[in-house]
Structures are given as C-alpha cells and as structure tokens.
Amino acid sequence: MSRTWLRLILLALAFALGTSVLGWWAVPAVGVVWGLMNPAGRRVAFHAGVAAALAWAALVLVPAVPGAPVLSFAGKLAATMQVPGWVLAAVEVLFPFALAWASATLGAAALGSRARALAPHQR
Amino acid sequence: MPMRIVRPVAAGLVLVAILWVGARGVGSAVPPLGQLLDPVHGAWAAATHAALPRTATATIPGLQGPVDVRYDDRGVPHIFATTETDAYRALGYVVARDRLFQLDLQTHAASGRLTEWIGDRALPVDRRVRNLGLTRAAEVNLAAMDTTSMAWKAMDAFADGVNAYVDGLKPAEWPVEYRLLDARPERWKPIDSILLFGRMAWMLSYIPDEAARFAARAQVGDSAADALFPLNSVIQEPIQPAPRPSPWYLFGPIPPPGRPDTSAQTVASLLRSVGPPGIGDGPDPGHFASNNWAVAPSRSADGHALLANDPHLDLTLPSIWYETQLVVPGKLDVYGVTIPGAPGIILGFNRDLAWGFTNTGADVLDFYRETVDNAEHPTRYRLDGQWKPLTLRVEVYRGKHGEVLATDTVRYTHRGPLMHRFGAWVSMRWTALEPSHEIEAFYDAAHATTSREFLDDMARGFFAPAQNMVVADRSGTIAIRSTGRFPIRPKGTNGLEIFDGSTSESDWSGYWPVSEFPQAFDPAQGFLASANQQPEDPSREFAYLGDERAFEPWRALDINEILRAHDSVTADDMRRFQTDPRSVRARLFLPFFLHAAGVSGEGGDTTSMSPAEASGDGSDKTSSSAAAASPTSNDVVPSASAKAAAGILRQWDGLYTHDNGGAALFEEAMGELRNLTWDELADSTGKRVATPTDEIMLELLHQPRNRWWDDRRTKDTVETRDRIVDEALAAAYDTLTSRLGPAPTGGWPWDRVARVSIRHLLGLRGFSELNLVSDGGQGTLDPAPGNGYGPSWRLVVDLDPAGVKAWDTYPGGQSGNPASAEYADRIPQWLAGKLSPVLFPAGAADLPAARTRATLSLEPAAGKAPPGRTSSAGPPQLPAPAAGNGSRSTAGGHP
C-alpha cells in the first residue's frame, strides 16, 4: 500500500472518529488541521475531501453489516426530501467533501502564506 | 489575481456557504443539512436505532418498585408492575420509546404551538385552536382536578415515565422528524394528557353543520330546505332497538324549490364563518365514522358473548393507536390500545369484559349572538339587562427561536369563547370546553367487572366527545349506551339556530340524565350495533340529539342485516363482517339506475314533462316500488353511453371488492346524480351552497315527478326522475372513459379510482404508504378506499367464561420510527382483512419465551440522580406476578 493511501485512510479515520464524537462540525475542524499540517503538500485539500466523503459513506453503511435497515431507509429518506435516491447519496458524500476541501484549503493557505512571509528572512 | 489568492478566497466562500446550509438550512425548504446528514447523529441514526435492544434497563424517578416490560413478537409491550402508578409510569416510558415524536406533535397541535416548530405557516391552525378555547379549557380542567385522585396520579406518573425517557435520550436517538424540523424533544407535562382529550373532542364533536339548512333556505325557501335537511334521519335503524321491525323509512313528499329566504343567508354566513373550513359543502358533513357491535350468547356458536369494534379515524403513520397491556396483580389487568399521551387504555378488554366505541355525532355545540359594549374592543357583554365583564386572555404565538410572531386577545363570556364575524359578536358553548373527567372514567372503567359497571363508570366522567359505547362481559351480558354530555336546551329549540345571547333563558339548563341516554341491555334480538346512525327511534320519544346530517344509516343497515341473518356467529365471522364488501346503499339505489336506463333503452317511458304538467310539488306518495310508477310517454333516445353503463351495472353484484367492475361506475353516477339534481341549491356564482345526504336523494328517487328533478338549464322542459338518472349514468360513463380509457369487460376495476393512503403525520411522502389496494368503500363497513379515513383499529373479542380471547390489528405498526421493521408491518394484514391473536398473559412468566422479542427492566432512580438509559446484559429477574383476576389465557386461535 502506498504512503498516499495510508495517509488517506488515516485521515478518513480521523474524520470518522471526529464525526462520531463531535458531530458534523468535526469535518471542517479536522480539515483545517490537515491543511495546517500539510501546507505545501500536493493535493492536500482534495485528499481531505475524499477522506471525509469516505468516512461519512462508511459511517452510513457500516451499521448495515449487522442488519441496520440503512438501504431501505435511504429510499424513504430520499422520498421524504423529494429527491431521487442517487441525489441523496451524492449529497451525503459531497457535503463532507466540500466541507473538508474548503477547510483544508484555508488551513493550508493560512500556513502557506505564513511560510511565504517567513521565507525571505529564512533565506 | 494570482492563484494563491483566488483559491483560498474561493475556498473561504464555499466554506461559509456550506457551514451556513449545514447549520441553518435554506429557508423552510431545506433543513440544516449538517445535523440532518450527520451519519452518526443525524437522520441516519433512525436506521441505526431501528430495532429495540433485546434487553435494556432504565430508571424512572418515583418508581416504587421494579417493572418488567416484555415486548412480544408483534412489538406489544406487556407491562408487569407492582403498583398502578408504576404501571402508568412504565406506560409513559414505553410510549415515549416508540412514539416520542407523535406525543410531541400532538401536544404542539393541541395547544396551538405548532408555530414553535414550523413558524408562521402554522399561525392559522394555531389561532383556530386557541380561539376555540381548548388550551384554556385544559388549564381550567387541570386546576379543578383532585390531586389525591387516581386520575391525577396516573396522569402524573405517565408524565414521569415520558420524561425519564426524554431526559435519558442522546441527540442521536431523537426521532428523525426532529432533524427534519430542526426541533428538539420537549418534556411532558400532565396537562398535555388533558389537551389530548380536548383534541379528540375537537376531532369528533366539533361538527357545527347548522349552516347547511340556512344556506339552503336562502336559495329555495324554508319549506323545501327543511325537508332536504331534516332533523331526523329518513332511514331508521337505531342503536337502541325499537319495538318494530327495522329498518324503516320516514320518506315523505319533498316540497318543490320555493322563494329564497333572504334573511337566512346572513345566519348561514355567520354559521359558516364560525364552523370548521369545508363543512357543509358536501353530502357528508365530514365527520369520522366507526362500527361496533356485540352478539349475545344466544346467537353465538360457542354460547359466549362476542364483541367487535373498528373506529374509523384518520389513517396515519404512525397510527393513532398504540397497543399495550397493563398488569398489576390483583388490581389491574387490561389490554387494548391507548392514544399516545393518554394515561390508560382507551379501547380494549380486561379479564371480564370488552368494550368498543363509535362516535355519537351529537350536536353539543351552540352559538349565541352577543350584545357588547364596544364593537371593536369589547370588554363587557349584556345579559338579562346587565353588563357582565368579558374574560380576556392574551394568546402569544412564538416562532422557532422564541420570537413573538403574533398576539391575540381572546374574549370569553360565561358560555365560552367570543368570535367577531361579519360585524357580529358570537359566543360558543361546547361540551368539550366544560369541566370533565375522562381520565378518571377510563381509569375506573378499566377495573369494571360487568357491563353495567363499565357503562356507569363511563357515564360518571366521560363527557366529550360523546360515544356509542358497546360492551360485553363474560357473564353473557351485552349492552350499549350513547355516553357523553347532551345539553338540555330552551324548550322548543333544537340547537340549529343562533341563540339570543342577551338573555340567560337561551342557556342550557343542564344535561340529559343518564336514564335518558339511548341505551339497551341484553335485547331480545340478541345483538346490538352502532355505526353512527341516529341512536334513538324518534317516533318513540323525540329528543334532539343532532340533525340528520350528523348521522349515517348505511353501515348500520349493513351490519344489522348481517347480524339478523346469522344466529350462530363465531369470532371469525365477526372478523369477516368487519370487512364485508356488501353495500345496502348500492342495493337501494341501483334499481333506479337500471330502471332509468332500461326505460330509456326500450324507448317507452317518459323522462320529461311540459312545464304545465309539472305543477304543485310534483311528488308521488312514497313507495318502495316507486321505480315502477314512472311517467308514461317518452321522446328521448338513450345515448350509447347510458346503454353501455346500464350494461355494466346490470352485471354488478353490488360488492366493493377491489377488482369489481361496477362500484367505480356506480359511485361516479351518484356524484353526477347529485350535481344534476341539486342544481337549484347553487348560488348566483353557480356554487352549490349545501348538498343533501344520499338518504334524501333516495327519498327523492321515490318521487319520480317531483319538481326537484327539473334541470334549470332547460327552460322549456321539466325533466323527471328517469331523465336525470339516465343523464347521470351517461355522464358517469363518459367521465370514466375520458379519465381511465375505454371500459374493460365488466367495467373499470374499483381499485383504479379508490385506493387507501396512510400518510405520515407530517405528510412526508417517503414515510407514508400510498395508493394501497383494499376492498370496501363508501357506505360499506370498511369505508377506507377513496376516503381519508378508515378502520384505525380492528378488534374482535370472545368473552369466553373460561378466559377472554381476542384478535386485533391496525394499519401501521408499534414503532414510530420510519426505519423500523415495526413501523408499518401490520398494513398487509390489515389490507387483507386478517387479525392476529392477542397474547394476554396474566404474568410475565406466561409470555412464551419464543414470542418474547425484547425486555425492558425499569427500576427506581437512586436518590435524586437524573434518570439514565443504558443497555445491560439482561433484565433483573422478577418473580412472576401472582395470577390475575382471571384465567391465564394467552391467546386465541386463528379466527
């Protein structure tokens, strides 16, 4: 397993754990921290978004393994929100993706601009 | 602009937007998405918590001893407690566990506080509730309660149970509806139980339909209007058996349309403005229905009394009913359904007797035109020549965040709330606003051991909404009584008018004594039945209980005919009767359609007369063979549509089975017949101001030359009955062809036009069960298809002296969680007209382990610590309660 994948999985675990403990506000919080930790990394924000989406998808689906009626309920919930099932599924992963992407971008930019500001003196 | 700036700015904007949508939502269309989509704490948690844990333990403050709750395989909690208050605490807990959102929603609706959940969209509904005085009445009732009474203790204990559950809930366990509404659960207050009864009274006894008669007078004069909207039902099959063969008909000539009574229009407008919206427009005033009947041992196969009940109410998910059993050894052993929020069993049975209710439909509401001191802001009203102060009450409506949305001042006379309509001040007196003791009545009645004791317990405290209570006991007694408060009005009045409020002589002088209630005990006929028909034979000793539109005879005709024809009834017969698809109504009307079409088809009868011929009231003397006494010349060529329609109806067996080809055409033809016949009741805009019932239509059909058959649109012709009936038939055929396509062989299946929809309490489509196929229809014992209401519960009880056996079902499930397997699991059974045998254990040990799905151990809270809710490895082992006050019958066979 590549290092990138490992980092992605660990990040997804962080999003999952944060959501379980703190609720959805954990997603932007973890995203910002991730951005701050990797101000110069490649595709930092994208990785954060993917990890958050994976984490939420797993949190929704894992209870189905022991028998929770997740899939049948998804259909009902989508109908209640007056959207097709695939739209609900898309929103369910796009929402944490966007939250994590935006917050990680801001986190990375904040530290990146500081690094740039410090750079001339370091030079 | 460099990318290193654009990118963070864009990300910042996206983040702010998403955080906003996540935390606040978008207007009223999109709820806060963060808490909704959160996979752990949001809507998905409903799926995670869909099943009750196999074992659980919880604590309830105030509990005097441990309570053992066993859920059977139908999700019914059997509560085994050592004291009665503990049983009610446990009831509160288990009801909240399964139906918390329903409890909360009902309370918000009943107290006029829906705006606190959904904002000013709910303001009109909340205003209506508070202006009716229901909240104030509940407060007065609560203040008047004896705090040492068992009713108070039961109510208080129930609140303890609900609150123990609410306090122990984690947000992730909140019902999904809270996520969708962005709301949170509230704690339960004892007054909420009283509000619930007020809401039931509103649903079942707020039927001020007096406007119909006055509106008709304004169009066609007093004489015709009073015949079209009579005091008595013209078809009689009373719940109190009459000493004459039943049914019988009070048909008489209907006077032709006369000169409008212009003064009646003012009264009609006033009455319409104080009545519920929509009332009076259709042939059915819009009230709910129900069936109940009991069979004496002399007519049952096993020699036991039998009882059946199916109350017809709004069909909702979750259901209005919640099924449970309360057992306190030696003191209480009762099984049945409760309405979430009521501290007790509303309908059901104990070890000795069973009971069931239907709505009486009594007129228990009057209006008074008041004289006030100030036309805009009155503070006093005139009574017997003196000024009396009005009671003023400020109603404040709050929004989601506690902000004030609106404020009203509601005024009260000694009669009730005062309303300002069309420049007049009208006060209202209504039994639902009077002090009452329903909770006490249910408490006492649950302990009754004989039919008479049960009915007397109810008569002492059950005041509104008045119900026809049928009861049967193990000794074989069957009985029925219309129970509630029936006002004694000023002599010579009947409650259909607006009274003069300036004199106390207009006031009610009391209530009917119980001895005058319509009732019967062990009648010679061997059965008793009520289905919302007029309760008493009016010719025997007429006392006004309500007008003809408050009653409906068709289902009473059906069930009485069935019961007369069976002298060896079994429990399974009772079940079959509940869904019998026959319709006496259809059988009474069908010959007129066939005759008209047949006459036209043969081209040998008259369907029209010249205006000169149609003089006087044009009525024929009433006769059951009126169809054969038609006029005698004809120049009408029947249309192809009428011929085709007659062909379908000729083959119709009169049944409302879902695949039947005649019912759809018949009902469509009935609608067309109303439209064509009652054209004289339309106002200047063409809108019909009131529609007589189908009973009156049947009466008119027996008068083939009555002037009412004339179609006003044809100036030089006066139509007769057969012409109009023929036209109705053709129009119905054309309408269905246009809507559903060419008629299949035998006609359009009934289920193409009449389905059953069981809607979620909030109307959420995904949580509803829509367009279900079922037998039955208007006028049959199961009227669910095509109507918004239907049998909300079905119960059959065999009062076997060796041990009571029962079977039941309802259209829904025990759980209020849409993700749960028990949310709607009983609907297929209900649609098929089947029932489940009920488990009725005397002790926890009597409930078979194989049929025990889950257990809940409730324990006293230690000290003053806040209640918690935890899962545990297993419940504490309680000693099995001592045997109840009857046998240990656990279940019936399959009826």
Side-chain angles (χ1 to χ4, degrees):
Chain A
M1 185 184 287
S2 74
R3 192 179 158 137
T4 304
W5 277 104
L6 191 61
R7 283 159 59 93
L8 202 60
I9 290 170
L10 287 175
L11 183 56
L13 283 173
F15 278 118
L17 189 65
T19 303
S20 298
V21 176
L22 300 173
W24 70 279
W25 287 100
V27 176
V30 173
V32 167
V33 171
W34 176 250
L36 290 170
M37 287 168 61
N38 299 275
R42 288 186 62 228
R43 309 182 84 182
V44 171
F46 179 74
H47 285 166
V50 169
L54 281 175
W56 275 36
L59 287 173
V60 168
L61 293 173
V62 163
V65 176
V70 172
L71 295 179
S72 62
F73 181 65
K76 290 181 177 182
L77 190 60
T80 291
M81 298 167 79
Q82 299 179 347
V83 296
W86 67 266
V87 171
L88 176 64
V91 171
E92 185 64 36
V93 291
L94 284 176
F95 182 77
F97 177 93
L99 268 180
W101 173 84
S103 54
T105 300
L106 281 180
L111 212 60
S113 60
R114 187 163 177 266
R116 279 189 294 278
L118 290 174
H121 305 290
Q122 288 169 344
R123 241 186 273 140
Chain B
M1 196 180 288
M3 199 60 191
R4 68 170 193 275
I5 295 175
V6 172
R7 197 177 154 90
V9 168
L13 291 174
V14 168
L15 186 61
V16 168
I18 295 177
L19 287 175
W20 180 270
V21 175
R24 304 295 296 268
V26 182
S28 59
V30 179
L33 284 185
Q35 59 174 3
L36 180 73
L37 298 174
D38 183 328
V40 179
H41 311 95
W44 297 103
T48 316
H49 298 97
L52 292 177
R54 178 113 183 104
T55 60
T57 304
T59 55
I60 301 180
L63 210 62
Q64 292 160 301
V67 178
D68 190 357
V69 182
R70 306 278 174 112
Y71 290 83
D72 69 23
D73 53 3
R74 296 169 65 233
V76 177
H78 303 261
I79 296 168
F80 303 98
T82 51
T83 69
E84 292 193 70
T85 49
D86 277 0
Y88 292 112
R89 280 188 187 89
L91 178 65
Y93 192 94
V94 299
V95 168
R97 200 180 190 210
D98 274 324
R99 301 285 187 87
L100 180 59
F101 177 74
Q102 183 181 18
L103 276 174
D104 219 351
L105 177 65
Q106 283 177 175
T107 302
H108 277 73
S111 57
R113 293 193 298 119
L114 288 172
T115 52
E116 293 171 18
W117 275 0
I118 53 178
D120 53 13
R121 279 181 299 159
L123 206 48
V125 182
D126 283 352
R127 278 203 154 120
R128 184 157 203 91
V129 171
R130 299 216 208 168
N131 289 347
L132 284 175
L134 288 165
T135 319
R136 177 179 181 260
E139 289 170 8
V140 171
N141 241 336
L142 184 75
M145 277 186 85
D146 174 3
T147 54
T148 63
S149 68
M150 263 316 289
W152 175 277
K153 289 176 184 170
M155 211 167 65
D156 205 37
F158 182 87
D160 285 347
V162 173
N163 291 332
Y165 180 74
V166 171
D167 292 343
L169 269 186
K170 300 179 198 126
E173 295 168 317
W174 293 355
V176 63
E177 291 90 345
Y178 288 106
R179 299 293 176 209
L180 296 166
L181 290 173
D182 187 22
R184 56 188 307 141
E186 271 189 15
R187 301 188 92 237
W188 186 261
K189 299 179 289 299
I191 195 174
D192 295 339
S193 292
I194 300 177
L195 283 165
L196 175 74
F197 281 97
R199 185 166 172 76
M200 287 305 293
W202 184 25
M203 197 193 307
L204 295 173
S205 72
Y206 187 58
I207 320 169
D209 196 30
E210 291 94 344
R213 181 190 272 205
F214 286 96
R217 281 181 179 177
Q219 300 301 317
V220 297
D222 296 4
S223 174
D226 292 357
L228 295 179
F229 300 93
L231 287 180
N232 290 309
S233 183
V234 294
I235 302 174
Q236 287 291 326
E237 179 83 74
I239 70 165
Q240 177 178 302
R244 60 192 294 184
S246 294
W248 71 94
Y249 299 83
L250 301 176
F251 289 175
I254 297 176
R259 297 183 62 178
D261 174 355
T262 48
S263 64
Q265 184 55 53
T266 310
V267 182
S269 300
L270 205 52
L271 284 168
R272 283 266 156 84
S273 71
V274 292
I279 277 282
D281 297 339
D284 180 347
H287 54 79
F288 295 109
S290 300
N291 308 318
N292 64 10
W293 64 87
V295 174
S298 60
R299 293 182 75 86
S300 77
D302 291 335
H304 316 145
L306 300 169
L307 179 138
N309 184 207
D310 51 303
H312 302 171
L313 300 170
D314 266 334
L315 301 179
T316 59
L317 283 171
S319 164
I320 185 173
W321 302 112
Y322 183 77
E323 192 171 333
T324 189
Q325 181 189 6
L326 304 175
V327 184
V328 180
K331 291 181 180 169
L332 177 70
D333 193 351
V334 60
Y335 189 108
V337 284
T338 181
I339 300 173
I345 298 295
I346 303 296
L347 300 170
F349 54 93
N350 61 24
R351 295 280 166 198
D352 296 302
L353 55 84
W355 69 93
F357 294 173
T358 67
N359 201 29
T360 301
D363 182 355
V364 292
L365 186 157
D366 284 335
F367 296 104
Y368 304 80
R369 192 192 295 261
E370 303 287 359
T371 306
V372 295
D373 63 345
N374 183 309
E376 296 301 318
H377 305 287
T379 55
R380 295 182 300 166
Y381 68 108
R382 197 91 175 148
L383 184 71
D384 297 334
Q386 294 189 326
W387 288 106
K388 300 271 184 187
L390 289 164
T391 303
L392 271 52
R393 178 183 163 96
V394 176
E395 300 285 358
V396 180
Y397 306 88
R398 296 187 181 278
K400 271 187 162 188
H401 308 292
E403 73 278 18
V404 175
L405 295 178
T407 305
D408 285 342
T409 299
V410 183
R411 298 168 172 82
Y412 292 85
T413 69
H414 69 288
R415 300 177 174 112
L418 187 65
M419 290 167 261
H420 194 206
R421 300 286 190 275
F422 292 102
W425 287 90
V426 178
S427 72
M428 179 178 88
R429 186 160 184 192
W430 181 23
T431 55
L433 303 179
E434 315 273 311
S436 61
H437 309 286
E438 281 81 17
I439 293 172
E440 197 152 346
F442 279 108
Y443 174 82
D444 290 341
H447 296 78
T449 57
T450 67
S451 295
R452 188 172 285 280
E453 189 186 345
F454 177 91
L455 290 176
D456 289 347
D457 285 340
M458 279 294 180
R460 269 193 297 276
F462 188 96
F463 298 154
Q467 299 289 295
N468 303 313
M469 300 180 176
V470 75
V471 58
D473 64 34
R474 284 202 296 163
S475 73
T477 293
I478 62 170
I480 196 165
R481 181 186 278 165
S482 301
T483 302
R485 276 196 160 165
F486 308 117
I488 300 174
R489 298 182 167 89
K491 199 161 187 167
T493 67
N494 54 31
L496 287 181
E497 61 223 83
I498 295 187
F499 291 92
D500 173 12
S502 68
T503 168
S504 56
E505 288 180 3
S506 301
D507 282 331
W508 299 349
S509 55
Y511 301 100
W512 291 22
V514 175
S515 59
E516 295 297 313
F517 289 3
Q519 56 193 304
F521 290 78
D522 290 326
Q525 66 183 23
F527 62 87
L528 290 164
S530 81
N532 312 104
Q533 74 271 43
Q534 187 166 350
E536 264 186 317
D537 174 358
S539 62
R540 192 176 68 87
E541 183 185 4
F542 175 67
Y544 174 76
L545 202 59
D547 74 328
E548 177 254 3
R549 286 167 65 79
F551 308 119
E552 188 212 301
W554 310 117
R555 283 171 294 105
L557 296 180
D558 282 328
I559 190 58
N560 278 283
E561 182 180 280
I562 290 170
L563 292 174
R564 270 192 289 273
H566 290 77
D567 59 4
S568 183
V569 180
T570 65
D572 193 49
D573 290 336
M574 302 281 272
R575 175 194 64 79
R576 284 191 299 106
F577 299 163
Q578 286 182 322
T579 52
D580 193 301
R582 84 177 63 190
S583 168
V584 171
R585 170 173 165 271
R587 207 170 67 216
L588 288 169
F589 278 94
L590 198 54
F592 292 97
F593 284 108
L594 294 179
H595 175 79
V599 167
S600 300
E602 290 155 12
D605 213 340
T606 291
T607 54
S608 62
M609 293 181 289
S610 71
E613 288 176 286
S615 58
D617 66 11
S619 62
D620 302 294
K621 285 301 167 195
T622 315
S623 162
S624 60
S625 61
S630 299
T632 55
S633 68
N634 180 35
D635 55 0
V636 174
V637 178
S639 68
S641 298
K643 284 181 183 173
I648 292 171
L649 289 186
R650 266 196 203 100
Q651 297 168 30
W652 187 34
D653 54 10
L655 301 183
Y656 283 67
T657 45
H658 68 89
D659 53 355
N660 196 296
L665 178 62
F666 173 75
E667 288 301 335
E668 190 67 33
M670 286 295 292
E672 296 288 354
L673 185 59
R674 285 183 212 111
N675 292 337
L676 290 167
T677 306
W678 305 127
D679 55 337
E680 290 84 353
L681 289 171
D683 62 15
S684 56
T685 67
K687 183 176 182 290
R688 196 160 63 228
V689 297
T691 306
T693 61
D694 284 350
E695 299 96 280
I696 301 299
M697 176 66 83
L698 186 65
E699 184 182 23
L700 185 64
L701 281 166
H702 284 86
Q703 301 164 36
R705 300 166 75 127
N706 193 303
R707 188 67 183 253
W708 276 96
W709 294 116
D710 180 34
D711 183 345
R712 287 192 307 175
R713 293 169 303 179
T714 57
K715 298 294 179 196
D716 54 350
T717 310
V718 176
E719 286 78 7
T720 58
R721 178 195 66 195
D722 288 346
R723 170 71 169 266
I724 295 298
V725 173
D726 189 77
E727 281 182 23
L729 206 48
Y733 187 88
D734 292 342
T735 302
L736 288 180
T737 303
S738 158
R739 200 194 313 158
L740 305 175
T745 307
W748 295 272
W750 177 229
D751 61 20
R752 288 196 67 186
V753 298
R755 298 278 181 108
V756 180
S757 287
I758 308 174
R759 297 183 191 282
H760 180 264
L761 289 170
L762 294 177
L764 301 173
R765 191 177 176 81
F767 298 162
S768 304
E769 297 284 335
L770 305 174
N771 297 316
L772 307 169
V773 173
S774 170
D775 292 346
Q778 190 173 355
T780 71
L781 287 165
D782 175 0
N787 288 303
Y789 61 88
S792 58
W793 189 49
R794 292 195 185 111
L795 170 73
V796 171
V797 186
D798 178 347
L799 281 304
D800 184 346
V804 173
K805 295 189 279 283
W807 300 263
D808 74 1
T809 196
Y810 64 77
Q814 288 285 88
S815 175
N817 180 350
S820 167
E822 287 172 359
Y823 176 68
D825 58 329
R826 298 182 179 191
I827 290 178
Q829 177 187 48
W830 178 83
L831 288 170
K834 294 178 179 170
L835 303 175
S836 291
V838 160
L839 292 172
F840 190 32
D846 296 330
L847 193 65
R851 299 197 59 185
T852 305
R853 181 175 292 171
T855 62
L856 168 68
S857 297
L858 298 172
E859 295 166 352
K864 292 185 178 177
R869 181 171 180 269
T870 56
S871 287
S872 75
Q877 293 302 306
L878 294 177
N885 53 355
S887 72
R888 291 187 170 220
S889 154
T890 55
H894 292 273

